[in-house]
Structure formats: structure tokens, C-alpha cells
Amino acid sequence: MAAAVGVRIRRLPHGAGLPLPAPATAGAAGCDLCAAIPAGSEWKLAPGDRVLVPTGFAIALPEGFEAQVRPRSGLALRHGIALPNAPGTIDADYRGELQVILWNAGRDVFALARGDRIAQLVVAPVVRVAFEEVEELDATPRGEGGFGHTGRGS
């Protein structure tokens, strides 16, 4: 297993009592993010609704890294809960609260309570690119074939 990357985290007042983001298992790539909505309240997402959910934490990523906010597969399968901008990108220079856009793509109202696991956070290295403008690109067998060009999956 690779060495751990140190990430500083600040708990915001409305994050009191919530667990720090952490992987659920030893082999998990993502760390669970929980909803930091007021205790005792329940947010209801009707089908088609989107809501910005606070997590109660802000982070400071090391330079050269990003964090990706990804959906939880169980929420997607059982309730149709998706992240419309997945993966959401947290840049190394962002210091605001981590927040998650949840979208109810399901058929039923979805109830959200404080502490519910809503997304995963994956920290990954960033590769810098240097674009070089050219007149032509090298040829490949695929060429310009795009969406559905192989006829598979249709």
C-alpha cells in the first residue's frame, strides 16, 4: 500500500460530532462524507430535486493533489441518488467547506438526516499538462470514431 498523504482538515461549527472523513474498509479508495444538516431535521428530496449538502469540514490539500467527490453506489442503486457533476473536483488551493450536490434521479422522495453518508472523497495526484498546438495528429486505428462507433452496447 502507498504511503498516506497528509491532508489538513478543519471542523466547522456545524460539523461538531460528525466523524472525520475515513475509508469504510482497509481497501477502500474513498473516504465517506456525511451530511452536516441540523440535528433533528430531515431534508426531503423529491424526484428531480437537487440540493447542496454541507459536510461540516474544510480541507487543505497538498500542492499537486486534488480531491474528487464521488457518488455512493448504494444510494444510486437503492434510491436513485446521484451527483450531477460527478466527480466534483476540489482543488488544492480551495479552503471553503466541502459540499455535495445531491440529485434525486429516483422515483420516490428521499429523506436525508444528519450524519448520513452522502458521498465519497478520493484524493489523487494531479498531472500537469503542457498543450502543444499542431496542424495534424498522429493516425490511430480508431481515428475520429466517437460515441457508439463500434456498435457495441446499443
Side-chain angles (χ1 to χ4, degrees):
M1 178 176 274
V5 174
V7 175
R8 295 185 345 252
I9 187 165
R10 181 170 69 100
R11 186 184 300 271
L12 303 173
H14 58 284
L18 293 175
L20 289 175
T25 66
C31 297
D32 289 328
L33 294 174
C34 296
I37 64 176
S41 70
E42 187 176 74
W43 289 9
K44 295 191 182 284
L45 278 79
D49 280 356
R50 291 181 310 275
V51 67
L52 186 61
V53 182
T55 67
F57 295 101
I59 60 174
L61 292 165
E63 189 172 327
F65 286 85
E66 66 156 336
Q68 300 171 6
V69 180
R70 298 183 182 181
R72 293 185 48 82
S73 58
L75 288 179
L77 176 64
R78 288 190 281 286
H79 305 286
I81 300 301
L83 279 60
N85 65 325
T89 299
I90 308 298
D91 295 310
D93 59 352
Y94 176 68
R95 294 296 180 268
E97 180 175 13
L98 299 178
Q99 298 182 75
V100 179
I101 304 168
L102 293 184
W103 172 42
N104 185 350
R107 289 182 228 126
D108 301 315
V109 171
F110 178 74
L112 182 66
R114 181 176 180 82
D116 284 352
R117 294 181 299 162
I118 56 170
Q120 300 180 70
L121 189 72
V122 175
V123 175
V126 173
V127 176
R128 290 281 172 216
V129 298
F131 288 100
E132 175 188 351
E133 189 171 355
V134 297
E135 294 295 322
E136 295 289 328
L137 300 175
D138 55 308
T140 68
R142 179 177 178 170
E144 294 182 16
F147 300 98
H149 80 282
T150 64
R152 295 185 187 137
S154 52

